[in-house]
Amino acid sequence: MRLIFILFFLFSALLADDFITRMEYAKLLYSNPRGIGCNKCHGNDARGEVIANIKVKGEIKKFSAPSINNATRAVFFKALNNPKDIMPKYSLTDEEMESLYEYITKQL
Ligand code: HEC
């Protein structure tokens, strides 16, 4: 009896159109975009985060990544295609960037 249930679940998983939805995939990309996760610098909620506190001439300077959950499409794609500062360069496809943009600005 248990075997029938297991087979049923296997078949329904195989027959499903997409194994995971586009937003589930984008969520995975956000923390693992084939490189250091966006969340490591921009925070799990994409509202920006302090990356490091650096002591310069006895004064603590905060070094942070900006909030990106309200980024416009132009700013978002420019940052990914042409990153400044310490933001890494990723090799994401247009579709992956599009999914990430939607996930970050609509779901986070
Ligand atoms: C190592 C830290 C780090 C990682 C990892 C990182 N970023 Fe950034 N990101 C930054 C910093 C710092 C800036 C600010 C750079 C600048 O001066 O424009 C930035 C800027 C941006 C901006 C532009 C924001 C604005 O208002 O100008 C976007 C959009 C962005 N990042 C998205 C992402 C996405 C999406 C990922 C993952 C694929 C990612 N970042 C990964 C550090 C990081």
Side-chain angles (χ1 to χ4, degrees):
M1 197 60 195
R2 237 155 102 199
L3 187 67
I4 291 171
F5 273 116
I6 292 169
L7 284 175
F8 175 76
F9 278 117
L10 272 178
F11 275 115
S12 45
L14 286 173
L15 290 174
D17 255 356
D18 287 315
F19 201 70
I20 54 172
T21 66
R22 210 169 131 239
M23 283 305 105
E24 280 164 350
Y25 180 56
K27 187 178 180 185
L28 294 175
L29 273 179
Y30 186 62
S31 57
N32 189 12
R34 295 191 295 278
I36 174 171
C38 320
N39 59 329
K40 291 278 189 312
C41 292
H42 293 281
N44 286 331
D45 57 4
R47 279 158 176 79
E49 206 166 74
V50 173
I51 304 171
N53 288 304
I54 303 162
K55 208 170 182 182
V56 184
K57 291 183 188 154
E59 240 183 85
I60 304 277
K61 299 238 185 226
K62 284 190 190 321
F63 189 64
S64 52
S67 160
I68 53 169
N69 67 320
N70 282 322
T72 62
R73 183 174 290 274
V75 162
F76 190 84
F77 282 87
K78 194 173 165 215
L80 280 180
N81 289 318
N82 209 351
K84 282 193 288 178
D85 219 349
I86 58 153
M87 161 107 180
K89 174 94 178 109
Y90 293 94
S91 30
L92 298 169
T93 64
D94 286 347
E95 205 183 339
E96 285 172 333
M97 285 192 264
E98 197 61 55
S99 303
L100 255 182
Y101 178 70
E102 205 176 312
Y103 173 68
I104 291 169
T105 55
K106 296 202 177 109
Q107 316 247 318
L108 289 182

